Amino acid sequence: MSDDILKLSATELSCAVRERRLGALEVLKAYIKRAEKNKYNSFITICSEEAEMTASRIDCMSKSELVNLPLAGIPISIKDNICTKGIKTTCASRMLENFIPSYSASVYEKILAAGAVPIGKTNMDEFAIGADGTTSAFGMTLNPHDTERSPGGSSSGSAASVAAGEALLSLGSDTGGSARLPAAFCGVSALKPTYGSVSRFGLTGLAPSLEQICPISRDIRDCALLYSVICGKDERDMTTLYSQGKKYGVSDTETLKGMRIGSIPGLGCDKRLFALLEESGANVSETRLPMIDTIPEIYYAISSAEASSTLARYDGLRYGFSSAMGTVEGTRNEGFGTKVKERLAQGAYVLTYDNGKIYVSALEVQRRLRKNTDYLFEKFDIILTPVSDITAPSLNDTRRIGEDTTGSDKFTAYANLTGIPAVVIPSGDKNKLPVGIQLTAKHGEEEKLCRTAYALERIFKTHQNNIMSTDV
């Protein structure tokens, strides 16, 4: 029976729990058994007791109470930079190794209110700095498809836990592709919402003007379900834009008829995919993202500057790790990993060189990029791009994404710099490694984005052998 439970989507499973065809404890046992083995080091903290208590409360509810719980009984993992009251939130760093928040992130409160069952805090690159899942102070995350390959980062544990069947849904975060790259490498789906559509209250910040909390799941229907729960205005985060209430569901009747789709060359399946999209009624043409070659430089200038500022609070004096030396320098040297210290140095340089000229210039280019993007979406409804120019690299070759990330960043960071929504869905495999494709839309059009992605998902599932090449 547990194997049958693991095959159900979140949409199907929550319906079964609400209708009493399955119990929340029964569902939890199917998933927690895998999570506790932690075969891929997906988790830093596993919350077995808390999860059992939550599942038991759901099983004690009446049908009338359950009917309003869209995530009833759904096992979900939480990236370890999202605050959870009473449960350690380490950011995968020695600096916060024993930090237990006294409050919860808004998104965490929302999923609990919707009936979800959180089963653990997932591994990640330290303070969300990294692209390969290897910089955690608690050991690297492994890719469930090939344990000798990177799962991507920084939301490595979130994507790996879903891919491995250790959780059905996960909450990650995305600053420049941190949820979408792991989704592509692990063969799952991720949604990076419009900036401001999901509260960041309780997210341990890295680059506040770029980052968003993101749903990760096996398919885009479940991403839309989780997004509909966590989106909405939050008085504790003044950057949030939208009122609560709209549901972002998708159905099997979704079509691409009349959809104006622009495609960036390099998808690896262009001509075959174009033909199938046009057969489905879409109008497809090639295009280019504006200023695409400048994206990595702009992204690193802005994200490094903001990281340098947000991480300045970790001085060993107010909270977190404190060095026996009793100095700020000693605390940071011992508490931070190499990657974090490198990013701090980069940020300090960007903010101070020539009175901050680099940072100011990057912000000006970002403004132009946003304006040009608005023009682009006057012509297209959806833009298709690659996620990365590589499949999941060997853990012995993470330099390819850990240091030379321009092949990924120019497509993923584009959405963060402009604030537009983006989704990644599995589009096949190359040499038995997962490959993803990214869809973007203009601000606030998550519903259109998810509906298009779901229609595209069905095309990939139906015509897989006619679309993707097995060559790298």
Side-chain angles (χ1 to χ4, degrees):
M1 182 63 180
S2 62
D3 288 342
D4 293 333
I5 290 174
L6 292 170
K7 293 176 183 178
L8 295 175
S9 69
T11 305
E12 295 167 334
L13 197 151
S14 63
C15 181
V17 172
R18 290 195 301 272
E19 294 176 355
R20 297 288 197 193
R21 289 182 281 113
L22 284 173
L25 267 175
E26 184 182 6
V27 174
L28 174 62
K29 288 177 182 178
Y31 279 90
I32 202 72
K33 182 178 179 181
R34 291 191 175 200
E36 286 177 337
K37 291 180 181 178
N38 207 12
K39 183 177 178 181
Y40 306 103
N41 202 29
S42 305
F43 292 93
I44 293 175
T45 302
I46 296 174
C47 310
S48 302
E49 291 183 9
E50 293 90 341
E52 287 183 10
M53 290 173 60
T54 301
S56 295
R57 284 198 298 270
I58 293 170
D59 282 340
C60 290
M61 291 181 177
S62 65
K63 276 192 174 183
S64 61
E65 291 174 311
L66 288 172
V67 73
N68 294 317
L69 301 183
L71 300 181
I74 302 298
I76 185 169
S77 60
I78 315 292
K79 189 175 180 178
D80 207 25
N81 61 348
I82 297 173
C83 286
T84 45
K85 184 178 180 179
I87 300 171
K88 282 201 300 184
T89 300
T90 71
C91 292
S93 177
R94 294 297 179 194
M95 186 66 78
L96 293 176
E97 184 174 6
N98 298 307
F99 174 59
I100 299 177
S102 58
Y103 65 96
S104 291
S106 293
V107 292
Y108 187 69
E109 293 176 347
K110 286 184 175 182
I111 63 168
L112 288 178
V117 180
I119 62 176
K121 305 298 292 292
T122 57
N123 206 356
M124 55 184 281
D125 283 306
E126 184 182 8
F127 279 105
I129 296 174
D132 50 35
T134 65
T135 70
S136 169
F138 307 105
M140 66 179 68
T141 310
L142 305 179
N143 191 322
H145 289 272
D146 184 341
T147 55
E148 295 183 357
R149 302 226 170 223
S150 166
S154 64
S155 303
S156 54
S158 291
S161 66
V162 172
E166 298 166 339
L168 185 51
L169 299 176
S170 188
L171 285 177
S173 68
D174 191 307
T175 307
S178 293
R180 287 163 289 155
L181 186 63
F185 284 176
C186 292
V188 295
S189 298
L191 165 63
K192 199 289 289 183
T194 299
Y195 183 80
S197 66
V198 175
S199 173
R200 290 181 296 105
F201 177 80
L203 173 68
T204 305
L206 176 67
S209 76
L210 304 175
E211 62 201 8
Q212 280 284 255
I213 294 174
C214 304
I216 299 175
S217 67
R218 291 195 297 232
D219 62 36
I220 202 64
R221 184 202 292 258
D222 286 352
C223 272
L225 172 65
L226 181 52
Y227 175 68
S228 70
V229 169
I230 65 173
C231 69
K233 186 73 175 175
D234 182 5
E235 297 302 326
R236 295 175 294 183
D237 178 2
M238 300 309 293
T239 66
T240 50
L241 305 171
Y242 308 134
S243 297
Q244 190 76 8
K246 189 172 184 180
K247 302 303 179 185
Y248 294 84
V250 295
S251 71
D252 291 335
T253 61
E254 306 300 348
T255 70
L256 298 176
K257 187 174 182 180
M259 193 69 66
R260 300 172 301 165
I261 298 178
S263 177
I264 307 301
L267 295 177
C269 53
D270 303 61
K271 292 182 180 179
R272 287 162 288 180
L273 178 58
F274 283 10
L276 289 169
L277 290 174
E278 289 173 349
E279 285 178 17
S280 300
N283 300 313
V284 187
S285 58
E286 285 194 353
T287 188
R288 292 183 63 84
L289 293 177
M291 307 165 67
I292 187 66
D293 293 331
T294 67
I295 298 299
E297 289 80 6
I298 304 170
Y299 168 70
Y300 277 106
I302 295 174
S303 64
S304 295
E306 293 188 11
S308 179
S309 177
T310 57
L311 296 182
R313 72 189 73 175
Y314 302 106
D315 54 14
L317 301 176
R318 287 163 288 185
Y319 58 87
F321 171 77
S322 182
S323 169
M325 296 173 62
T327 64
V328 173
E329 180 182 2
T331 293
R332 292 182 178 176
N333 187 51
E334 296 174 35
F336 286 140
T338 301
K339 243 353 176 187
V340 175
K341 286 184 278 190
E342 287 176 355
R343 189 63 65 89
L344 286 171
Q346 291 168 358
Y349 178 79
V350 168
L351 288 171
T352 59
Y353 178 77
D354 199 10
N355 294 318
K357 186 176 180 179
I358 296 175
Y359 182 59
V360 172
S361 297
L363 292 178
E364 177 56 35
V365 176
Q366 183 187 31
R367 283 192 287 271
R368 287 163 43 204
L369 179 66
R370 288 174 172 172
K371 186 174 182 180
N372 290 338
T373 301
D374 290 340
Y375 292 146
L376 182 67
F377 282 109
E378 289 178 3
K379 182 179 179 181
F380 297 104
D381 298 304
I382 299 291
I383 305 292
L384 301 181
T385 78
V387 181
S388 172
D389 61 351
I390 58 174
T391 53
S394 167
L395 288 168
N396 295 322
D397 190 27
T398 52
R399 175 183 56 82
R400 294 181 64 190
I401 58 170
E403 296 177 13
D404 181 15
T405 59
T406 55
S408 301
D409 287 343
K410 65 183 179 183
F411 297 120
T412 55
Y414 184 90
N416 301 84
L417 288 167
T418 57
I420 61 175
V423 299
V424 165
I425 59 173
S427 58
D429 62 82
K430 293 183 180 180
N431 286 354
K432 299 181 180 180
L433 292 173
V435 178
I437 191 170
Q438 178 175 254
L439 294 78
T440 58
K442 70 179 182 180
H443 292 82
E445 294 204 334
E446 278 83 358
E447 184 173 16
K448 180 186 289 185
L449 187 64
C450 289
R451 291 180 184 279
T452 305
Y454 186 63
L456 192 56
E457 261 187 359
R458 287 185 291 147
I459 289 175
F460 280 120
K461 289 176 182 177
T462 305
H463 302 281
Q464 193 64 70
N465 294 333
N466 297 321
I467 299 177
M468 293 301 300
S469 168
T470 57
D471 301 325
V472 175

